[in-house]
Amino acid sequence: PIRFFEPSMDQQLRDKRALQQDLRTAIARDEIELHYQPQALISGEITGFEALVRWHHPRQGLVPPSVFVPLAEESGIIGALGEWVLRTACREAASWPQPLQIAVNLSPLQFQHVDFYAWLDDVLNETRLDAGLLELELTERMVMSGGDASRRLLRRIRQRGVRLALDDFGTGYCSLSYLKHFPIDTLK
């Protein structure tokens, strides 16, 4: 389809670029924070929490993750943002009075980074969080699209003791029988 230029298109692009620029400095300005959603057994017993990232923009207020996470991926900021989320979640979970599991979502760009395992290992060593208390949430697409390299990385992460969850299972083309090829602990 053909589209003609409209002034609103230019404004939308300017707004998007300004938001990306603000996101680049949001971590340093303490605008990013984690909220923790409880994870519980059917009995109601809390077994852990999922770390949810939130951005409180100084002028726009709460910017939803559905807006700023794609901006972070598009602009390359996702690496720094993802590192901050994982490091902060692990540090805070390690300080809790009783050991509870902490789940952290990964972006495809984080997972595909060549140094991901070394970086994960550094975070666990630095924060002193027991690896068995960390659960990394991956999407079906991330797991399925990486082929043998993804399988090897997942096995290595699992051998380190970190739990793996497959988030949004069933939204793609993965079948239950195919999952036996991956070391997944939890389906969501």
Side-chain angles (χ1 to χ4, degrees):
I2 296 174
R3 291 192 71 184
F4 292 97
F5 174 79
E6 295 178 25
S8 64
M9 295 165 75
D10 182 54
Q11 188 58 48
Q12 287 174 347
L13 186 57
R14 287 175 191 268
D15 291 346
K16 179 179 174 180
R17 288 207 175 120
L19 201 58
Q20 277 181 330
Q21 189 58 38
D22 289 346
L23 185 56
R24 289 185 191 285
T25 58
I27 294 171
R29 293 188 316 233
D30 289 326
E31 296 170 8
I32 303 293
E33 63 184 41
L34 291 182
H35 291 205
Y36 294 98
Q37 177 175 309
Q39 295 180 325
L41 298 174
I42 199 148
S43 66
E45 177 190 352
I46 304 269
T47 58
F49 295 89
E50 180 176 355
L52 305 172
V53 65
R54 298 294 182 254
W55 180 21
H56 290 278
H57 191 279
R59 293 177 307 282
Q60 296 185 24
L62 188 63
V63 179
S66 60
V67 171
F68 75 82
V69 170
L71 282 177
E73 289 176 334
E74 193 177 297
S75 62
I77 303 166
I78 195 66
L81 178 62
E83 180 177 348
W84 182 89
V85 169
L86 184 63
R87 192 174 304 280
T88 302
C90 288
R91 184 176 52 250
E92 290 182 3
S95 74
W96 294 340
Q98 71 181 77
L100 292 168
Q101 191 168 332
I102 184 71
V104 177
N105 288 292
L106 289 184
S107 137
L109 294 176
Q110 286 176 276
F111 183 68
Q112 294 166 355
H113 193 277
V114 68
D115 294 329
F116 177 76
Y117 182 83
W119 170 72
L120 172 65
D121 195 50
D122 287 346
V123 167
L124 288 170
N125 289 331
E126 174 194 311
T127 62
R128 300 187 188 280
L129 180 70
D130 178 345
L133 294 175
L134 177 61
E135 182 174 74
L136 297 178
E137 294 193 7
L138 308 126
T139 64
E140 183 178 333
R141 179 177 287 163
M142 287 166 58
V143 171
M144 299 301 290
S145 66
D148 289 338
S150 286
R151 277 194 285 274
R152 284 191 299 274
L153 178 56
L154 290 171
R155 283 191 191 99
R156 194 168 176 205
I157 292 168
R158 199 58 196 93
Q159 287 170 350
R160 176 68 167 87
V162 174
R163 296 178 49 82
L164 298 168
L166 192 58
D167 202 6
D168 296 332
F169 177 73
T171 59
Y173 51 86
C174 185
S175 69
L176 282 172
S177 64
Y178 195 70
L179 283 179
K180 67 183 176 188
H181 301 289
F182 298 95
I184 302 297
D185 299 292
T186 306
L187 290 179
K188 293 178 80 181

